[in-house]
DNA sequence: GTAGGGTTAG
């Protein structure tokens, strides 16, 4: 307030001064009129920044207007100045109008700049540059390139200022062929030693994935500066070669070129990619030493680095340091949470962002949708769907694909299908997302039908489409269809990857064709990996084939000796064959390697809030009621003739203990709590971190009938819909 | 009036 007052005093002094001066220049207006005019310009100027220079400029109207134009950040400011200039009789082709075009172009008011530009009879190269730069700077690359060709059509030759912007437009499209032509022109016009143009070429080839060409241009540079080095370093980082990027960085350190903050950002990106926390930290140290720790974009790179390396708390500290975080920082933090299993924090942060009216971009919403899918709550997914449908992203292809995936993972195939149906111009990924969704819910037939509809629509499948189809067949026991689909792959010249082979092994193995599955593995053209042997082992467990299972396990342990899951699988296989000695041996091995079984937990969705339960959990405030409900359920199950299987690795407990442990399984607690917390008839929605166990699966089927409720359960692999005593998976999972 | 960077990835 105090500052404002003293400014006001300064202004009023300068206003009188200005008015007196300006009339002496002979402008056709009264002092009074100019007084009002100048005062409006000053208020306008106060909208952005004000400093004492204004006192100087008030003696020179031309310079004063030039100053105003240079400092304008809004179209209405430029508009007012433009109007004044015309009223004051400035020439249409004069220096100030040129400045105005340049200024509007810089702030992104390109349509406005273009209108003034089109009024020029013979625009010079400066003006062409201004328009091209405006387009290129604001991602209107097609217009930039088009204007560039039009310029040459009008016999204006590009200069050293034109070419970097044109190259940027070619990289942004990206348009490799066009950029090559521009490269030819650069050669013909003799810009081989213009470091600005050559740096533009390095960045152009790198962005188009032509990293070798980028390197050739870089090597040919007479005097490379920090921009050249940054271009080539980030080029390698962007092309998935972080190690090479870092090697070049160490080359750079041997030269006299001084690092700046953008160079550090590129180096950080490389360390982030290889998740090298230690080197990332040392760059952080360097940042602090150079006094750059408040540089917003470095803060983003550092936040992303810590988040990607799993240090979410440190990332959050940096995030909170930024006074006015921009979208990219929000994106880095939200995705950092989502990537490290903090899906709920990711969603919470997204909600904070919305509540602060910060504009989310398409990356933000995509990350947030992925986080919602991870959380798995139906209410949350509906909320997100509602948010998107009211947003500007409702027709965004990428956003809709993520939505389809989210709805499927949150248990609502109908909502997934609604989004799918309203998505126009579906590409192969949209179709695949829907097919994968059907697969997740064991709706193999629908998946195959959709695949055929996709063929009809003339969309070519890709490798993900086939993963979806094969998984769908797996989850529905469609052995023959799966086999046929696998062989369709070669019609589209798609090389099957590990996952495809594993699907087929799974498909054959689960159906009991263990020998076929084994033969299939032996005939694989690529070295069978963990996925294929893992699928065979789990099939051997289902069908109690100890000999083959042991062989598969041996292969698995030679590939990865520290995976808990494989030991548990083998131990379960032995247990199913009642080979208790072997079970014990496996347990000892696990203990020696310091491996322990993953703890199971289940979440139940009560009015959109997820409540978590572990095995034998008694931490809930209503645990007494929950256990009473559980006991009553248990009684009713027994009356209905339910006999628990005792084949898992619980052999060293006595029968009573076994039964107790089984009915204390987290999903049973979640079901019991769901029953006492919701009105009769409400569908229960449960999310489990592991695969459903045989007993709980059987019990859930029966419970759905006894209490007349639908139970929808997402386990680590797929969905189960329990209703009237049966499960949608047909006991096939 | 020039150039380089950061967030995602079904």
């Amino acid at each position: 307030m105090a500052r404002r007052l003293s400014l006001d005093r300064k202004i009023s002094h300068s206003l009188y001064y200005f008015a007196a001066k300006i009339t002496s220049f002979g402008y056709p207006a009264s002092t009074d009129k100019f007084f009002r005019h100048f005062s409006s310009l000053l208020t306008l100027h106060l909208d952005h920044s004000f400093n004492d220079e204004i006192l100087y400029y008030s003696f020179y109207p031309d310079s004063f207007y030039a100053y105003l134009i240079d400092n304008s950040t809004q179209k209405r400011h430029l508009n007012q100045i433009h109007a004044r200039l015309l009223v004051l009789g400035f020439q249409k082709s004069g220096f100030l109008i040129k400045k105005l075009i340049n200024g509007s172009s810089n702030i992104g008011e390109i349509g406005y700049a273009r209108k003034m530009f089109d009024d020029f009879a013979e625009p010079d190269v400066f003006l062409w540059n201004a328009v091209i730069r405006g387009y290129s700077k604001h991602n209107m690359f097609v217009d930039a390139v088009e204007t560039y060709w039009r310029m040459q059509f009008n016999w204006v030759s590009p200069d050293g200022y034109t070419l970097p912007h044109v190259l940027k437009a070619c990289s942004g499209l990206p348009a490799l062929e066009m950029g090559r032509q521009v490269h030819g022109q650069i050669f013909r016009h003799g810009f081989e030693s213009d470091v600005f143009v050559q740096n533009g070429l390095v960045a152009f080839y790198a962005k188009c994935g032509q990293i070798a060409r980028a390197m050739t241009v870089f090597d040919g540079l007479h005097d490379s500066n920090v921009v050249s080095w940054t271009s080539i370093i980030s080029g390698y980082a962007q092309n998935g070669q972080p190690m090479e990027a870092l090697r070049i960085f160490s080359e750079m350190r041997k030269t006299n070129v001084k690092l700046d903050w953008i160079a550090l950002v590129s180096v950080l990106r490389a360390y982030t990619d290889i998740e090298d926390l230690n080197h990332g930290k040392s760059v952080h140290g360097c940042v602090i030493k150079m006094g750059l720790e408040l540089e917003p974009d470095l803060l983003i790179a550092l936040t992303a680095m810590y988040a990607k390396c799993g240090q979410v708390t440190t990332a959050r500290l940096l995030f909170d340091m930024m006074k006015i975080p921009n979208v990219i920082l929000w994106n880095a933090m939200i995705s950092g949470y989502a990537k490290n299993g903090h899906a709920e924090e990711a969603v919470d942060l997204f909600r904070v962002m919305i509540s602060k009216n910060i504009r989310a971009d398409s990356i933000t919403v995509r990350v947030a949708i992925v986080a919602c899918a991870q959380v798995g709550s139906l209410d949350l997914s509906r909320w997100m769907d509602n948010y998107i449908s009211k947003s500007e992203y409702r027709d965004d292809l990428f956003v809709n694909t993520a939505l389809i995936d989210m709805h499927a993972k949150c248990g609502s195939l109908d909502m997934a299908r609604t989004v799918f149906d309203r998505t126009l111009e579906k590409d192969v990924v949209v179709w695949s997302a829907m097919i994968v969704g059907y697969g997740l819910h064991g709706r193999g037939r629908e998946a195959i039908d959709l695949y055929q509809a996709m063929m009809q629509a003339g969309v070519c499948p890709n490798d993900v489409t086939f993963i979806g189809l094969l998984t769908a067949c797996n989850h529905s026991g469609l052995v023959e269809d799966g086999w046929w689909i696998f062989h369709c792959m070669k019609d589209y010249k798609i090389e099957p990857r590990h996952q495809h082979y594993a699907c087929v092994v799974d498909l054959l193995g689960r159906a009991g064709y263990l020998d076929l599955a084994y033969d299939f593995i032996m005939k694989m053209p690529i070295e069978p990996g963990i996925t294929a042997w893992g699928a065979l082992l789990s099939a051997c467990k289902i069908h109690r084939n100890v000999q083959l299972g042991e062989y598969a396990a041996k292969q698995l342990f030679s590939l990865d000796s520290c995976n808990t899951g494989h030991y548990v699988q083998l131990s379960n296989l032995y247990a199913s064959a009642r080979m208790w000695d072997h079970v014990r041996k496996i347990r000892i091995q696990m203990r020696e390697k310091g491996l322990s079984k993953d703890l199971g937990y289940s979440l139940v969705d009560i009015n959109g809030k997820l409540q978590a339960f572990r095995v034998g959990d008694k931490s809930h405030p209503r645990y007494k009621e929950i256990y009473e409900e559980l006991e009553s359920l248990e009684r009713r199950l027994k009356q209905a003739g339910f006999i628990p299987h005792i084949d898992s690795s619980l052999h060293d407990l006595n029968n009573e203990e076994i039964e107790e442990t089984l009915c204390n399984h987290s999903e049973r607690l979640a079901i019991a709590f769901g029953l006492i917390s919701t009105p009769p008839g409400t569908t229960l929605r449960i999310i489990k971190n592991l695969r459903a166990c045989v007993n709980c699966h059987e019990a859930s089927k029966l419970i759905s009938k006894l209490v007349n409720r639908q139970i929808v359960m997402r386990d680590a692999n797929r969905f189960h819909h329990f209703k009237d005593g049966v499960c949608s998976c047909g006991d096939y999972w």
Side-chain angles (χ1 to χ4, degrees):
Chain A
M1 205 53 204
R3 183 171 171 270
R4 183 63 191 250
L5 275 176
S6 76
L7 275 180
D8 278 351
R9 190 165 302 153
K10 276 185 188 168
I11 291 164
S12 59
H13 279 294
S14 65
L15 283 177
Y16 283 113
Y17 221 77
F18 178 75
K21 275 286 171 195
I22 221 155
T23 34
S24 70
F25 273 100
Y27 285 111
S30 69
T31 313
D32 183 46
K33 203 169 165 190
F34 271 99
F35 181 93
R36 266 188 280 126
H37 163 219
F38 188 32
S39 107
S40 75
L41 284 178
L42 276 178
T43 11
L44 169 165
H45 188 218
L46 279 176
D47 277 350
H48 24 285
S49 67
F50 178 88
N51 58 45
D52 288 345
E53 277 173 277
I54 199 88
L55 295 169
Y56 163 78
Y57 285 118
S58 43
F59 295 98
Y60 304 96
D62 279 25
S63 318
F64 172 67
Y65 281 112
Y67 180 84
L68 279 184
I69 293 169
D70 285 347
N71 289 284
S72 293
T73 52
Q74 288 176 36
K75 188 187 174 183
R76 64 187 178 89
H77 294 157
L78 294 169
N79 243 327
Q80 288 182 45
I81 297 167
H82 191 192
R84 289 313 303 177
L85 290 181
L86 294 180
V87 168
L88 294 172
F90 277 90
Q91 282 174 343
K92 263 194 169 174
S93 54
F95 143 81
L96 282 176
I97 303 283
K98 274 190 184 174
K99 235 185 161 19
L100 211 51
I101 294 176
N102 195 40
S104 355
S105 193
N106 276 341
I107 62 167
E109 289 299 338
I110 320 205
Y112 184 57
R114 185 63 192 266
K115 233 191 274 160
M116 291 185 279
F117 174 81
D118 288 342
D119 280 347
F120 263 79
E122 282 185 1
D124 58 5
V125 67
F126 174 90
L127 276 181
W128 284 103
N129 287 349
V131 176
I132 293 172
R133 177 160 32 88
Y135 281 134
S136 167
K137 209 174 176 179
H138 297 91
N139 302 333
M140 298 162 77
F141 302 127
V142 177
D143 300 275
V145 173
E146 204 184 87
T147 312
Y148 175 63
W149 295 124
R150 221 152 51 80
M151 163 180 163
Q152 291 173 87
F153 187 74
N154 284 286
W155 302 104
V156 178
S157 287
D159 66 4
Y161 292 90
T162 325
L163 293 160
H165 301 299
V166 177
L167 286 170
K168 194 192 163 186
C170 293
S171 336
L173 280 168
L176 182 60
E177 220 13 76
M178 184 99 65
R180 282 225 179 103
Q181 286 180 40
V182 176
H183 193 170
Q185 290 176 312
I186 287 170
F187 192 74
R188 282 199 297 281
H189 288 286
F191 287 103
E192 298 100 313
S193 52
D194 184 318
V195 70
F196 284 94
V197 176
Q198 294 300 316
N199 286 349
L201 274 175
V202 175
F204 159 72
Y205 281 121
K207 287 245 167 65
C208 291
Q210 306 278 313
I211 192 68
R213 277 179 188 277
M215 196 62 195
T216 313
V217 180
F218 178 81
D219 282 336
L221 280 170
H222 292 294
D223 45 351
S224 44
N225 59 18
V226 62
V227 180
S228 331
W229 285 99
T230 311
S231 303
I232 195 71
I233 291 172
S234 61
Y236 275 105
Q238 285 159 358
N239 284 284
Q241 298 185 48
M243 294 309 281
E244 187 58 16
L246 293 166
R247 193 193 62 76
I248 297 173
F249 175 58
S250 66
E251 291 288 309
M252 175 188 177
R253 303 285 284 173
K254 292 178 197 153
T255 68
N256 289 326
V257 178
K258 267 183 88 177
L259 279 172
D260 67 1
W261 65 269
I262 300 186
L264 286 174
V265 166
S266 316
V267 174
L268 264 174
R269 143 124 199 202
Y271 284 131
T272 306
D273 284 348
I274 57 171
E275 296 184 28
D276 186 338
L277 182 61
N278 286 331
H279 279 97
K281 274 183 177 166
S282 74
V283 175
H284 191 180
C286 190
V287 168
I288 293 170
K289 238 187 262 163
M290 290 168 75
L292 296 169
E293 72 263 47
L294 289 177
E295 191 62 61
D297 300 298
L298 259 174
L299 217 51
I300 293 170
L302 284 168
T303 308
M305 187 276 292
Y306 282 112
K308 177 92 188 285
C309 296
Q311 311 282 307
V312 258
T313 319
T314 315
R316 184 57 193 254
L317 279 174
L318 291 171
F319 176 84
D320 290 333
M321 261 170 72
M322 190 115 124
K323 293 250 162 44
I324 309 161
N326 65 12
V327 202
I328 299 181
L329 181 61
W330 284 95
N331 294 353
M333 194 62 233
I334 295 173
S335 80
Y337 276 134
K339 256 185 215 149
N340 288 289
H342 303 264
E344 281 180 80
E345 279 104 320
V347 178
D348 287 345
L349 197 60
F350 177 63
R351 292 186 128 148
V352 170
M353 187 174 171
I354 294 173
S355 70
K356 290 188 169 179
N357 282 323
I358 296 162
R359 199 179 158 277
D361 69 5
S362 94
I363 292 180
T364 326
V365 297
R366 269 142 70 186
V367 175
I369 294 170
V370 170
C372 286
Q374 270 179 44
V375 174
S377 144
L378 188 70
D379 275 36
L380 187 60
S381 67
R382 287 198 174 133
W383 173 83
M384 189 45 120
D385 188 272
N386 184 39
Y387 170 81
I388 296 294
S389 66
K390 288 184 199 145
S391 78
E392 61 191 294
Y393 302 110
R394 142 180 197 105
D395 296 319
D396 184 302
L397 196 65
F398 275 64
V399 170
N400 280 345
T401 316
L403 275 182
I404 293 169
D405 180 65
M406 173 192 77
H407 283 310
K409 285 189 177 139
C410 292
S412 175
L413 271 181
D414 293 344
M415 303 268 286
R417 187 64 200 229
T418 309
V419 179
F420 175 81
D421 287 334
R422 75 149 195 255
T423 306
L424 306 168
E425 299 189 28
K426 305 176 190 41
D427 70 355
V428 57
V429 192
V430 172
W431 287 94
S432 305
M434 195 64 228
I435 290 174
V436 171
Y438 279 126
L440 202 59
H441 289 262
R443 309 259 286 260
R445 274 265 83 84
E446 276 107 323
I448 295 171
D449 289 347
L450 201 64
Y451 170 66
Q452 271 151 358
M454 175 177 151
M455 301 283 96
Q456 295 252 300
V459 177
C460 192
N462 66 12
D463 57 331
V464 181
T465 321
F466 282 102
I467 298 231
L469 283 167
L470 291 170
T471 321
C473 293
N474 255 347
H475 288 166
S476 328
L478 300 172
V479 185
E480 278 159 31
D481 296 271
W483 187 250
W484 163 71
I485 282 163
F486 177 76
H487 289 284
C488 280
M489 290 181 71
K490 63 174 177 299
D491 299 343
Y492 299 96
K493 302 209 168 18
I494 299 169
E495 274 315 311
R497 288 182 291 118
H498 282 289
Q499 262 195 67
H500 298 97
Y501 288 113
C503 277
V504 176
V505 175
D506 204 23
L507 188 71
L508 297 169
R510 267 179 219 263
Y513 304 114
L514 291 176
D515 293 342
L516 277 180
Y518 174 75
D519 283 345
F520 182 80
I521 292 184
M522 296 321 271
K523 283 184 191 147
M524 276 171 61
I526 53 175
E527 199 61 39
I530 289 174
T531 44
W533 291 116
L536 186 65
L537 175 58
S538 93
C540 289
K541 193 247 147 190
I542 297 171
H543 299 286
R544 300 189 187 173
N545 185 329
V546 176
Q547 201 193 354
L548 191 56
E550 278 178 330
Y551 181 75
K554 204 174 134 198
Q555 304 300 323
L556 280 170
F557 295 144
S558 74
L559 290 166
D560 176 6
S561 63
C562 291
N563 186 313
T564 317
H566 302 151
Y567 288 95
V568 174
Q569 284 268 23
L570 183 60
S571 150
N572 286 348
L573 168 62
Y574 285 135
S576 71
R578 303 190 168 268
M579 298 164 69
W580 308 122
D581 287 351
H582 288 73
V583 172
R584 230 162 272 141
K585 254 192 228 156
I586 299 279
R587 289 199 167 180
I588 293 166
Q589 274 183 31
M590 285 178 71
R591 217 167 296 142
E592 279 169 356
K593 287 188 184 282
L595 301 171
S596 57
K597 237 174 148 170
D598 285 342
L599 269 183
Y601 65 83
S602 295
L603 308 164
V604 59
D605 191 333
I606 309 288
N607 299 322
K609 275 228 161 12
L610 295 177
Q611 179 69 52
F613 292 94
R614 293 188 175 283
V615 185
D617 204 330
K618 288 191 177 168
S619 62
H620 196 274
R622 292 176 69 187
Y623 88 90
K624 276 196 178 144
E625 289 170 74
I626 297 171
Y627 278 80
E628 275 165 26
E629 178 67 23
L630 208 57
E631 273 172 34
S632 118
L633 272 178
E634 226 46 52
R635 270 197 306 277
R636 294 172 69 185
L637 280 171
K638 263 193 194 138
Q639 278 165 10
F642 177 73
I643 305 156
H645 292 259
I646 310 176
D647 74 352
S648 48
S649 46
L650 298 164
H651 63 280
D652 40 9
L653 303 172
N654 64 40
N655 266 357
E656 226 169 88
E657 285 171 324
I658 289 169
E659 232 171 278
E660 191 177 304
T661 310
L662 287 175
C663 45
N664 280 350
H665 262 179
S666 60
E667 53 263 62
R668 306 266 197 115
L669 293 170
I671 290 174
F673 182 65
L675 287 174
I676 60 171
S677 319
T678 54
T682 315
T683 299
L684 296 183
R685 296 185 174 271
I686 303 204
I687 302 166
K688 217 189 155 215
N689 68 328
L690 305 174
R691 273 165 71 168
C693 89
V694 185
N695 275 301
C696 290
H697 190 264
E698 285 302 309
S700 304
K701 287 193 327 198
L702 205 48
I703 291 171
S704 74
K705 190 176 179 185
L706 291 174
V707 300
N708 198 19
R709 298 256 201 151
Q710 264 200 69
I711 302 171
V712 178
M713 187 183 292
R714 175 175 107 176
D715 76 8
N717 260 355
R718 59 165 297 156
F719 271 91
H720 303 265
H721 297 252
F722 301 99
K723 194 183 172 188
D724 293 333
V726 286
C727 179
S728 63
C729 75
D731 300 336
Y732 212 93
W733 82 95

